[in-house]
Amino acid sequence: MENIQYHGIAMGGKLYSLRVAKRMSQEQLAAVLNISPAAVSKWERNLAKPTIEMLWALADLFQCSIDELVGRTPGQVEEVGIYDTQKFRLALIGEDLLKCSEISRQQGLLAMESYVPELKGGSRFLAFAIPFIMYLFMKQTEPEAAFQLLENYVTTLPETERQEGRMIAAVLKRIFAGENPELLQEVIASYIGIDYREKNTNLNELLKYTRQDILEQYRDKKLYSGHTDLLEAFAQVGDFEIQLILRNTDNATLTAALSGASGGVVRAFLSNLSDRVLYFIHEDIQQWNGTEEEILAAQKKLLELGSYYLKGTDQ
């Protein structure tokens, strides 16, 4: 059966987040709507769709429009921070490239290929580019010719992936040329933006704290209020699932959501970030001064993204 989609997220995730935010179980929602709990479960798992009459009832119950339920919201200007969704992704891929540089300096260029299964940024092009360039070098292809071929592949990528492709090609070319990590960081920053570079410039100050020091600061963190506990189940979700959610969120949402969450939840998310991104997000959380309403809106977005992984923790 065709699923209803909500901006790339199945409608079931939207319903799940609204129900959890209202602190209702599936049984309670079913009782209000005079249907079976199994029907609610099927909606949330995208195995069935509500009728138009049920959409009206859901919209009234959750005090939203039917358009919002099915994703037909007016276009909103994306908030541009240090990391919007694309910049956040580029930053993670940049971390992978810096790790490749470190491996090549310590173990040689060939060792980079062994790192491909451990890439954190989820870039299919980087996973392709490393073994591809290695293959050409083993065939004794001239460096300029090898990287020209790689750049040709960049032009074939979907438009949404082309910027990361250009960054990957440019940085790999410099890694193979043996250029220093400081220059690589500048190249990466030039593809992400001025705000990222400014944060990167202040990294030495942030690095006075170790990764563990930062995570420890959140051990006893309390909820912002009794209402901002929507993410508590994420403390029990695995690292792989957390990483998938991180790849599909943006800095503004992540910062606001975690600012209202408990220490266990914050640590679950932050521990899945690379060192550099961890320091940046930590700084943003420390400086965040938004409202409870903003926290709840952000937490609902993360609930939508993570609803699939939380189905077993809430009924």
Side-chain angles (χ1 to χ4, degrees), residues 76-260:
Q76 296 179 338
V77 178
E78 184 180 44
E79 180 177 352
V80 178
I82 301 306
Y83 306 109
D84 56 25
T85 303
Q86 182 184 16
K87 290 181 181 180
F88 192 88
R89 176 178 170 80
L90 288 175
L92 292 175
I93 296 169
E95 291 300 308
D96 281 334
L97 287 165
L98 291 174
K99 182 64 176 178
C100 286
S101 171
E102 179 185 335
I103 290 171
S104 71
R105 285 181 287 110
Q106 293 177 353
Q107 304 174 43
L109 288 169
L110 291 176
M112 282 199 305
E113 197 162 0
S114 65
Y115 179 63
V116 170
E118 300 179 42
L119 295 172
K120 307 294 185 185
S123 172
R124 63 173 185 148
F125 187 70
L126 181 54
F128 159 79
I130 293 173
F132 175 71
I133 289 295
M134 292 297 184
Y135 167 78
L136 293 179
F137 271 54
M138 294 294 288
K139 293 292 185 180
Q140 299 184 330
T141 307
E142 289 294 324
E144 281 299 323
F147 280 101
Q148 181 59 61
L149 290 173
L150 185 63
E151 289 162 7
N152 290 346
Y153 278 109
V154 172
T155 66
T156 69
L157 292 172
E159 187 175 350
T160 54
E161 297 178 38
R162 220 163 287 163
Q163 180 79 341
E164 77 180 63
R166 287 191 287 265
M167 180 179 76
I168 288 166
V171 176
L172 282 179
K173 187 174 184 177
R174 286 164 172 80
I175 290 175
F176 276 79
E179 294 183 358
N180 65 66
E182 289 75 18
L183 178 58
L184 298 182
Q185 290 174 9
E186 290 291 354
V187 174
I188 291 167
S190 72
Y191 283 91
I192 301 177
I194 295 173
D195 289 338
Y196 174 82
R197 186 186 186 281
E198 290 173 347
K199 284 266 187 178
N200 206 54
T201 301
N202 295 329
L203 189 60
N204 286 337
E205 177 63 21
L206 296 173
L207 285 172
K208 67 184 180 182
Y209 299 107
T210 68
R211 180 183 187 86
Q212 194 54 43
D213 287 338
I214 290 177
L215 293 176
E216 195 63 27
Q217 290 184 39
Y218 294 98
R219 181 172 297 279
D220 298 319
K221 182 182 180 299
K222 305 300 183 185
L223 294 169
Y224 181 90
S225 76
H227 298 104
T228 62
D229 61 349
L230 305 185
L231 304 182
E232 294 310 292
F234 279 113
Q236 310 303 320
V237 171
D239 289 343
F240 176 75
E241 290 79 8
I242 292 287
Q243 289 166 16
L244 289 177
I245 294 166
L246 285 170
R247 290 174 192 164
N248 289 283
T249 192
D250 59 87
N251 178 58
T253 297
L254 183 63
T255 299
L258 296 186
S259 294

Side-chain angles (χ1 to χ4, degrees), residues 22-41:
K22 206 169 180 67
R23 289 169 171 72
M24 298 180 73
S25 67
Q26 289 182 347
E27 288 78 7
Q28 289 170 327
L29 177 57
V32 170
L33 298 174
N34 197 27
I35 58 175
S36 70
V40 176
S41 176

